[in-house]
């Protein structure tokens, strides 16, 4: 492993640990994260971009939404506003807007899909396979 790869992994691991701590406290701020990592915001942004191809804000948002999806899936009876707060979103409406924009569904729709997964389209059930005659699939 090259020194750069090790350094990038160490940076991202440290960032992730600090981010989870900040989320647990209900706040997330890139400037605060950089300060806690003892680097400038500019340097953090450059290094995260080099390591992930994403801006720091996008990388942090992805981690927050990943945690939100984990919490919504594991604890569907916890309120969406509580989940939002646990992921560092002070405003539930903002959380719902960002979640829908990134995930394509609202947090409540996501919970419903976790409870009742939608089967993929065009899946043939075992009952319909048994009802098929082998010659029904030939090309005329």
């Amino acid at each position: 492993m090259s020194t750069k790869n090790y350094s990038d992994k160490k940076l991202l691991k440290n960032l992730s640990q600090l981010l989870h701590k900040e989320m647990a406290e209900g706040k997330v701020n890139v400037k605060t994260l950089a300060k806690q990592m003892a680097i400038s915001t500019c340097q953090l942004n450059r290094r995260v971009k080099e390591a992930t191809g994403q801006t720091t804000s996008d990388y942090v948002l992805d981690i927050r939404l990943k945690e939100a999806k984990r919490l919504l899936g594991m604890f569907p009876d916890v309120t969406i506003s509580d989940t939002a707060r646990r992921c560092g979103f002070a405003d539930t409406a903002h959380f719902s807007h960002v979640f829908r924009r990134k995930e394509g569904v609202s947090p409540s729709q996501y919970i419903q899909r976790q409870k009742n997964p939608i089967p993929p389209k065009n899946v043939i059930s075992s009952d319909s396979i048994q009802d098929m005659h082998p010659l029904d699939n030939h090309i005329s």
Side-chain angles (χ1 to χ4, degrees), residues 51-96:
T52 67
Q54 294 180 286
T55 65
T56 304
S57 295
D58 285 344
Y59 181 74
V60 165
L61 182 60
D62 285 352
I63 291 174
R64 293 166 73 191
L65 290 177
K66 185 176 180 179
E67 178 66 4
K69 290 190 304 185
R70 186 186 75 78
L71 292 172
L72 292 170
M74 289 180 66
F75 307 104
D77 296 329
V78 173
T79 66
I80 292 171
S81 61
D82 191 39
T83 300
R85 257 190 319 279
R86 289 178 184 200
C87 295
F89 291 91
D91 180 19
T92 304
H94 176 67
F95 167 71
S96 294

Side-chain angles (χ1 to χ4, degrees), residues 8-46:
D8 289 346
K9 285 181 182 182
K10 188 174 177 183
L11 171 93
L12 295 177
K13 182 178 180 182
N14 189 19
L15 176 59
S16 181
Q17 288 172 339
L18 290 170
L19 177 57
H20 279 86
K21 180 179 174 232
E22 292 289 308
M23 286 191 303
E25 294 174 8
K27 59 185 183 212
V28 175
N29 182 302
V30 173
K31 287 182 182 180
T32 303
L33 292 168
K35 186 175 182 178
Q36 290 176 351
M37 295 176 72
I39 61 176
S40 70
T41 305
C42 185
Q43 186 179 11
L44 176 63
N45 290 337
R46 182 183 52 76

Side-chain angles (χ1 to χ4, degrees), residues 36 113 133-134:
Q36 290 176 351
R113 286 188 178 176
H133 187 274

Side-chain angles (χ1 to χ4, degrees), residues 77-128:
D77 296 329
V78 173
T79 66
I80 292 171
S81 61
D82 191 39
T83 300
R85 257 190 319 279
R86 289 178 184 200
C87 295
F89 291 91
D91 180 19
T92 304
H94 176 67
F95 167 71
S96 294
H97 174 77
V98 170
F99 192 96
R100 180 185 296 271
R101 183 172 42 93
K102 288 284 198 171
E103 301 301 325
V105 294
S106 70
S108 55
Q109 290 170 324
Y110 182 83
I111 292 169
Q112 285 304 315
R113 286 188 178 176
Q114 296 303 302
K115 288 181 180 179
N116 305 310
I118 300 169
K121 292 182 180 180
N122 300 328
V123 173
I124 300 173
S125 70
S126 58
D127 293 336
S128 63

